[in-house]
Amino acid sequence: MEEVVSQGRALQRLLDELGRLPGIGPKSAQRIAYHILEADSEETQRLAHAILDVKQQVHFCPVCFSYATREKCDVCEDPRRDQTSICVVSEPRDVSAIERTGAYHGLYHVLGGVISPMDKIGPDQLHVRELLARLSDNSVTEVILATNPDVEGETTATYLARTIKPLGITVSRLASGLPVGGDLEYADEVTLGRAIEARREA
């Protein structure tokens, strides 16, 4: 009897943990949990090891704050990237979204969020200081502000534009075409690629 109760708790723990994931409701959590239960042990071990490996091996790049598996991320390590351009995004997943377009070949800088007075997040809680440090050697001639087209994203872009423009660096913003209030990671490659290519001065 005790073993049955223990198994029930194990399943409930799995359901609870899956339910904590963003975008996973109770029904989705149940579907995933039952898939895991019905899968063979080799498949479940691969999943468990993949989760553990990503936590142990992936870290933030010390230069741009995107995800990296080596000392620096693949973009920062690539000497073929355009060193005169930095695209500023809110989160590491935005880097992946822009990379999928194939329309941008410069560097990135991840802020780690956006300015949000309601959440008590100001410039000091973001990687703004590190961005300004990267701009201090005069090698960068353009900064592209690629924050989401919502209130917080626009507030962050406006703040950065006002801070960077006095340095004599061209500051541009992604062109319209992205839905207002939308997230970059959900934009299709064609729309996002055109927004990059048709960027305007901020």
Side-chain angles (χ1 to χ4, degrees):
M1 180 66 180
E2 188 175 333
E3 186 178 347
V4 173
V5 172
S6 177
Q7 289 172 350
R9 286 177 182 160
L11 177 57
Q12 189 58 51
R13 278 204 311 274
L14 178 59
L15 288 167
D16 290 343
E17 293 305 320
L18 290 171
R20 296 180 202 277
L21 298 175
I24 303 294
K27 288 185 178 179
S28 295
Q30 200 171 52
R31 277 198 302 272
I32 296 169
Y34 287 128
H35 172 80
I36 291 171
L37 279 172
E38 293 164 9
D40 58 46
S41 59
E42 186 178 328
E43 184 180 344
T44 55
Q45 283 179 4
R46 282 201 308 270
L47 175 61
H49 287 145
I51 293 171
L52 290 171
D53 287 347
V54 79
K55 288 301 293 180
Q56 292 168 359
Q57 297 174 20
V58 178
H59 58 89
F60 290 116
C61 173
V63 177
C64 72
F65 300 97
S66 185
Y67 292 132
T69 53
R70 293 176 289 176
E71 183 181 350
K72 292 192 283 189
C73 73
D74 292 342
V75 172
C76 289
E77 289 275 16
D78 189 350
R80 297 169 298 177
R81 305 292 297 212
D82 178 5
Q83 306 291 309
T84 67
S85 175
I86 292 180
C87 182
V88 179
V89 297
S90 302
E91 303 290 349
R93 59 179 174 263
D94 297 331
V95 172
S96 300
I98 293 174
E99 282 296 283
R100 286 196 301 270
T101 70
Y104 178 68
H105 307 288
L107 304 175
Y108 292 94
H109 190 85
V110 179
L111 295 171
V114 287
I115 294 172
S116 177
M118 292 284 289
D119 299 316
K120 298 182 180 178
I121 299 174
D124 291 341
Q125 282 73 51
L126 306 176
H127 297 301
V128 175
R129 190 181 301 107
E130 292 86 349
L131 172 61
L132 297 177
R134 293 180 70 185
L135 303 177
S136 64
D137 66 359
N138 299 319
S139 62
V140 176
T141 58
E142 181 186 21
V143 171
I144 303 167
L145 303 176
T147 51
N148 288 328
D150 54 21
V151 174
E152 290 83 3
E154 291 296 333
T155 300
T156 304
T158 301
Y159 171 82
L160 290 174
R162 287 176 180 167
T163 305
I164 296 168
K165 277 185 178 180
L167 303 177
I169 296 169
T170 299
V171 180
S172 56
R173 186 88 171 96
L174 294 190
S176 58
L178 293 173
V180 174
D183 288 345
L184 289 182
E185 64 174 313
Y186 299 124
D188 66 273
E189 286 86 349
V190 174
T191 299
L192 190 51
R194 286 177 179 167
I196 292 166
E197 290 167 351
R199 60 187 178 271
R200 55 184 167 75
E201 189 169 337

